[in-house]
Amino acid sequence: MKILGILILVAIAVGFYFRLTGDILTGDRIIGISVLASAFILMPVFLYVRWKGKRLKDYTLSDENMKKMRDRGID
């Protein structure tokens, strides 16, 4: 995941380099593909890795969790 993130950042930098050297169309394409890759590849992989092994019930505001928060003094 770190390698993919670094590759996307490098691709964005290369895209901006192309834009600065005068090839605006190619630079825009590289930047656009990099942004799409970060949104549709990197983000879902990141979310899967971070949520693996966790229960959604622990992070929702149910009556049980509200009672636990009140008992601990967290309002």
Side-chain angles (χ1 to χ4, degrees), residues 45-73:
V45 170
F46 172 78
L47 291 175
Y48 174 75
V49 168
R50 296 301 294 170
W51 276 93
K52 186 172 48 174
K54 296 183 180 175
R55 296 183 319 180
L56 185 61
K57 182 182 176 189
D58 294 338
Y59 301 99
T60 56
L61 288 176
S62 63
D63 289 334
E64 178 183 331
N65 288 341
M66 292 296 285
K67 288 178 186 176
K68 286 181 187 177
M69 287 174 29
R70 285 190 192 110
D71 291 342
R72 292 181 186 162

Side-chain angles (χ1 to χ4, degrees), residues 16-29:
F16 278 111
Y17 173 76
F18 273 98
R19 282 186 55 89
L20 291 175
T21 58
D23 195 3
I24 295 175
L25 183 61
T26 304
D28 284 345
R29 286 182 181 165

